[in-house]
Amino acid sequence: MSDTRIVDDVTASQLRKLPLVLDRTFWVQQLASPHWSLLVRSPREFGGHAERIDLLFTGVKALKLRIALPSLSVRRPTGEERACILAELGDNTALSGGLHLYIVEDSLSTGYVVAHRLSVSTDLHEGNVPSLLWSRLVGESPSAPQGTIYDID
């Protein structure tokens, strides 16, 4: 697929790497035990966007995150942020075994997610129709397979 495909005001190439900066509303859609997964969603309905965007963190070990995010930025931590979060977690092994620390910011706060993997998907669905990411995670065939998955880590 060409990197020139536009997802609202974000190119597909911007969804493939960090930092990920999206000026649209997101919220925690689901925190579930299959693979300790966190699904953060920005629906099409809010703001009249062309596509829905889902972020799926898998292998989640820890998180500190607002439920509603008026905008979203996901990036790697600075050295100081990393040290503070590890101290907060009280676990020097919190980032062992392939775990990554993601800083999740919005216009109101800064939080984090410690997880094995981050993937992003875009699709044309509205409402609570499972995304390609969620279907892939739970091993189900999606009801309507249109969409694209971007694996960041």
Side-chain angles (χ1 to χ4, degrees):
M1 173 191 297
S2 168
D3 280 355
T4 59
R5 182 172 155 279
I6 300 294
V7 179
D8 295 338
D9 58 347
V10 180
T11 64
S13 63
Q14 289 173 292
L15 294 174
R16 289 192 171 103
K17 62 185 188 289
L18 296 180
L20 180 61
V21 179
L22 299 165
D23 188 23
R24 54 190 286 174
T25 302
F26 282 80
W27 72 76
V28 173
Q29 178 76 19
Q30 191 163 21
L31 179 60
S33 60
H35 308 283
W36 294 103
S37 312
L38 171 66
L39 179 64
V40 180
R41 173 169 287 168
S42 179
R44 293 176 61 190
E45 311 78 277
F46 283 52
H49 298 290
E51 294 183 290
R52 178 175 73 174
I53 300 176
D54 281 357
L55 280 71
L56 182 66
F57 296 89
T58 53
V60 175
K61 181 171 181 175
L63 63 102
K64 181 179 181 180
L65 192 62
R66 294 171 43 88
I67 299 297
L69 306 160
S71 60
L72 180 80
S73 172
V74 181
R75 62 177 174 79
R76 302 280 184 216
T78 64
E80 183 178 334
E81 288 170 325
R82 181 183 176 97
C84 287
I85 291 167
L86 287 174
E88 181 178 317
L89 293 172
D91 183 0
N92 288 332
T93 64
L95 298 180
S96 63
L99 287 165
H100 302 279
L101 176 55
Y102 302 97
I103 299 297
V104 180
E105 298 175 304
D106 63 38
S107 57
L108 302 173
S109 67
T110 299
Y112 61 84
V113 177
V114 177
H116 280 284
R117 184 178 200 156
L118 169 59
S119 299
V120 178
S121 73
T122 61
D123 61 44
L124 300 176
H125 296 298
E126 294 182 7
N128 289 325
V129 175
S131 67
L132 285 174
L133 280 174
W134 193 259
S135 297
R136 177 174 79 175
L137 177 71
V138 297
E140 297 176 356
S141 296
S143 58
Q146 78 262 23
T148 305
I149 295 175
Y150 305 95
D151 290 317
I152 293 176
D153 285 322

